[in-house]
Structure formats: structure tokens, C-alpha cells
Amino acid sequence: MFASLASRNLRNKSSINWFSSFNLSRYAHSLPFATVKAEEVSGSQPTEVLNLVQGNWTSSSSWNTIPDPLNGESFIKVAEVNAKEIQPFVESLSRCPKHGLHNPFKAPERYLMLGDVSTKAAHKLALPEVADFFAKLIQRVSPKSYQQAFGEVYVTQKFLENFCGDQVRFLARSFAVPGNHLGQQSHGFRWPYGPVAIITPFNFPLEIPLLQLMGALYMGNKPILKVDSKVSIVMEQMLRLLHDCGLPLEDVDFINSDGITMNKVLGEYINRAKFVLNIFDHQAKPRMTLFTGSSRVAEKLAVDLSGRIKVEDAGFDWKVLGPDVQQEDYVAWVCDQDAYACSGQKCSAQSMLFIHENWSKSSFLEKLSGLATRRKLDDLTIGPVLTVTTQAMLDHLNKLLKINGSKLLFGGEALQNHSIPAVYGAIKPTAVFVPLEEILKGENYDLVTKEIFGPFQVVTEYKHNQLPLVLKALEKMHAHLTAAVVSNDPLFVQEIVGNSVNGTTYVGLRARTTGAPQNHWFGPAGDPRGAGIGTPEAIKLVWSCHREVIYDVGPVPQNWRTPQPT
């Protein structure tokens, strides 16, 4: 999601010892909120992750041991709650009423409190030693270059700055419309859902959960947060920072569990909420769940939760290079970043590249290949793929290469000389060419547009009179998160944008698919369940609903008489 904003790089070849190369490491020992030292987490010095429920940090009866994604050593133990231990979480959710912890008519001082928490948290996260701590902790669990990890911290800090002071209560700004007679006015308010759930993936361990968590809190909700256990240590530490900044411990529950148990938590809440306390008898179901992750899980949750869900699911994201060839070096660099930064593990990563025939006649593809070869495991500009194995990615490549006219452009090989465990993937940045006409064939389309959450993209070419075929390919896609139209030709851009859907679309010479900052909407379009993140509009859409209150106080007309029945 974020842009590469840090200026430093990691160059030491050791899978652990890069962290000692930064002088700021010594400050991690003195951070008042931290319970771990990012540069020391290893197989020889493993650490633990706890749960937070009803204001207390708790353990569980079982631990999930997380392997180091760079060498396979057991380096983090996560206290995962099992099905027999969910009752405290169920009860905690059930105690929050539908009208939330605060709303425009109830406890408005909480808007101010959360503005103060954001101010303090933004200040802390801007401190070099704190930013460095989180960047390195992100690297340990979701290996990516220091610039990418630091960029995630930077965007998170800027988001918190955006909601300091009065900005939180401004999210709840209401409006009024004059009525039909004296004393009548209608007022529109943003209203919380009350108890809500947030489920987030591994690839952005800080930015996605923190931005969604704060949005939920700002609007008056009581969230339970579940982050992928592989990376949940990052948000555990961030919650401790938020508590240090004044966030009440009871405001957020933090659960580590497998997916089945979390599904049971939500289901148990549905079944139990109305029986917990008489005062909450009418609170029968969880009001809203925000899910960021795979489309398959999103569809299951949508059914399980009776549609009470907002989704930012997988994205098979496309980029179209228009007919106006210019700035080849720059465009090639952006394409390399979009496809292969974070080893392609971004929901916004460039999955398919449509290049106009004019670009094929240039040196663009040669430059793109050259940029891909610069990526090294040494500095984590290429690294472990945490959800797709090496064999699965290579098998997918081989299936694509059986399509008529397809060919390997570059990559297509496993990384060598590493200790990444086999449960993860490790391949070179890969691009495969598939002819446009073949992509559109019914027997090929689903295969070609299958998302591979790794350093893998499909490239195709179109002639000037084949733009309708490109648009047809875009129309058939089912995921509509990000897109890019690389052209300064206004008529060409107009044609593509007017015939496509993607919720976050970049256009112009510098268009990209990744690198969304905190200052604009990021989310899919074309789906009523689509969730946004980061902006006031996204927060209000995802974490509140509209409530209309109509004041009708009189006076009753002086000569009023009871009318005939109607």
C-alpha cells in the first residue's frame, strides 16, 4: 500500500545481523512500551505474543510456534486461543451496546480523548528510535526491504497526524435540513455499529490493522482485532504504545487464534449476545466485520455473517501502457516496483501488464528485466513468499507456458543459496508473456488471471485497433482494487477509465498500482461490500452508518382541530 519513503538500505548478507547495522538499535532497549527487542528476536532468543481481553493481557493453554521466514528457526510463540477459551472475548463483545462506546449524543468527550491519543501516538511514532523499532519488527516477520518497512511506519504515523485534536469529532459532523413547518428539522448523524471485528492479513502488519482499528474507535465502536499470527507481534507492540498514549485498555480486544476459532468467536457472539445481560437483550448479532485478505475467505465470511461485512479482498491488478511512449526508464522502474516490491505481496501489486505495440518496439521490456535482476535476498528487495510455495508458483508458470504463443520473459527460477523454509516460497522476479487473444479464450482466462501473491506478473501486448479486446479483458476480471493507465493522452485515458471499475486508479505518465499513501482513498469498487482505508470518507463508510433524527417540537397551530381519519 505505501510508498518507498525511507532512505536507508540493508546490505549485510546475514539473515539476522542486518539489524545491528543501525545505531538506533540501542534505543529499543529503552522504549517504555516495548516488551521485545526487534533486533534480538531469533531462534536463540524467541519471544511471545499475548492476547488482550477485557483490559487484561492473557496467555492461553496452547502456543503456536512461528518459524523465522528467513531460516526456519522457531522464533516467536503466539498464545493462540482455542475454541474452549473464547468465552471472555464473547462476553466482552456482548457488553458493548449497539449504540457504541460513544456517539454524538453519548460520551462525546471520547472523541476528544481519541484525538489526544492520536496526537501522542503520532508524536511517538515520529521519533527515530520508535519508527526504527517498528520497521525492523516488520522486517523480522514479513521480510521486505528497510525502505518498504519504514514506508509502512511513515504512512501510519502520517495517518495518526491526520486525526489529531478535533479531527476525530469532525468525522461525526452532522447536517440539518429545514422541515415543513415551524419547529421541524431533520438532522443526519454518523452512528457507530457497536461491537465490531477486524481481521487483517500478514503483508502489512502495522498499517492495515492500525488504520482500520483507529477508524473503528474514532466512530464509537468496540473492536476485536485479529491479525495473522505470523505477524501479530507488530500490532501487539503497537497496542502497548497506544495504551502508553492514553487509550483505555478495555477499548480493544486483541485475539490470536486460527481462522476456525475466530469464526466461532463471531458465531458464538451471534448466538450468545442476547443472553449475557438483560440490558443488552436486543443485541443479537455482531454489527460489522472488516475483513482484509483472500476472496475465498471473504465470500465464506459474507455468508457466515449474513452480509454484515466490509471487504478489501484480493486484487488481480492491471496496468495499461498507452500509445505515447516516453520516459522509458521511469516507467520501467515504476513497473518493477509495482510488481516486485515486497516480493509482490501487496493486494495492489501489478499482476497483469498490457503494453501498447509502441512500447514493444522500445527497450522497455529489456529495461524491466534488468531492473528485476537487481533484486537480491541480501537486502530483502526479494524475499520469502509467505502464502505460496516455490513449487506452486513454478507449477503455475509451467501451466501458463503451455498456452499457445506464451513465453518466459525473465525469472522463472527458484532462489538459490538461502535457508528460507520450504513452507514458504522463494523465486526470482518473474514475468511471462501470454498473447492477448489467448488470454480471452474461455479455457485460458481463469488460469491467466489467477492471483499469485508473489513476485509474478503476466505481460501481454495489444495493437492500436485491439483496445476493445483490452477493455473486454478488464471487464471480465472479478477483483477491482487498483489499476493504472500510463499515458498522458487524455482521450486514451478517458476511454480506459470510462470503461473500467477499479476503486483506486492512477492515470498519467507517473501512474502506478502500489504505493498508496494516507492522503487518498484506497479500496475496491464495484462491490457494495467494498471497504476503504485511511481517509475520512473511508472511515465514515466502513465504521459508521447514517442515522436521521427528526425534531418536531411545535408549536401546534393555534386553531388546530382533530381531522377526519384517513
Side-chain angles (χ1 to χ4, degrees), residues 39-312:
E39 72 277 11
E40 295 181 5
V41 178
S42 64
S44 60
Q45 297 187 62
T47 190
E48 297 178 351
V49 181
L50 301 179
N51 302 285
L52 176 65
V53 62
Q54 298 181 25
N56 298 303
W57 289 102
T58 64
S59 183
S60 66
S61 62
S62 59
W63 297 84
N64 179 14
T65 301
I66 307 299
D68 188 324
L70 290 169
N71 58 32
E73 295 179 356
S74 299
F75 78 139
I76 298 175
K77 291 167 55 181
V78 180
E80 288 202 349
V81 173
N82 61 45
K84 296 180 180 179
E85 299 171 321
I86 65 174
Q87 199 56 43
F89 297 92
V90 173
E91 292 177 354
S92 183
L93 273 184
S94 301
R95 290 186 180 129
C96 178
K98 290 179 182 178
H99 51 262
L101 300 177
H102 62 269
N103 61 55
F105 288 73
K106 170 188 172 182
E109 64 275 6
R110 282 183 51 87
Y111 293 114
L112 304 182
M113 178 270 290
L114 289 166
D116 290 342
V117 170
S118 295
T119 300
K120 295 173 184 175
H123 172 72
K124 281 187 181 292
L125 211 53
L127 298 174
E129 60 270 25
V130 177
D132 186 69
F133 166 79
F134 278 106
K136 290 174 182 175
L137 194 57
I138 290 168
Q139 281 191 295
R140 289 302 289 119
V141 294
S142 183
K144 57 184 79 172
S145 71
Y146 189 89
Q147 293 97 321
Q148 290 286 321
F150 186 83
E152 183 174 348
V153 179
Y154 178 89
V155 167
T156 302
Q157 191 271 334
K158 287 298 179 184
F159 166 85
L160 290 168
E161 281 187 350
N162 286 347
F163 295 97
C164 293
D166 288 328
Q167 297 305 313
V168 174
R169 63 171 155 194
F170 289 165
L171 290 170
R173 189 191 305 270
S174 61
F175 63 86
V177 177
N180 294 330
H181 51 255
L182 184 62
Q184 186 185 73
Q185 281 189 335
S186 61
H187 292 251
F189 297 95
R190 298 311 300 178
W191 216 255
Y193 291 105
V196 298
I198 303 169
I199 304 172
T200 63
F202 73 92
N203 55 332
F204 288 89
L206 179 65
E207 184 180 345
I208 294 176
L210 190 280
L211 269 60
Q212 294 291 15
L213 175 69
M214 298 308 292
L217 289 169
Y218 293 155
M219 299 312 296
N221 302 290
K222 164 66 182 284
I224 180 172
L225 172 64
K226 180 198 174 331
V227 182
D228 189 313
S229 291
K230 293 190 291 292
V231 301
S232 61
I233 189 173
V234 178
M235 270 309 294
E236 187 217 40
Q237 295 300 299
M238 188 65 203
L239 281 170
R240 295 179 187 275
L241 182 148
L242 291 173
H243 296 153
D244 198 49
C245 294
L247 181 71
L249 272 75
E250 299 82 5
D251 276 16
V252 178
D253 291 333
F254 178 66
I255 186 171
N256 296 291
S257 71
D258 60 23
I260 295 174
T261 301
M262 185 61 191
N263 197 276
K264 187 171 177 60
V265 170
L266 300 175
E268 282 293 308
Y269 175 67
I270 292 174
N271 295 328
R272 178 175 167 76
K274 60 184 178 181
F275 302 114
V276 176
L277 294 172
N278 290 335
I279 193 172
F280 301 133
D281 272 349
H282 298 293
Q283 187 177 338
K285 294 184 178 181
R287 310 309 302 165
M288 218 285 290
T289 295
L290 180 282
F291 176 78
T292 305
S294 78
S295 298
R296 178 184 60 82
V297 177
E299 294 299 332
K300 180 182 186 304
L301 282 174
V303 174
D304 292 346
L305 301 176
S306 303
R308 294 179 182 87
I309 189 171
K310 288 289 186 181
V311 173
E312 188 214 310

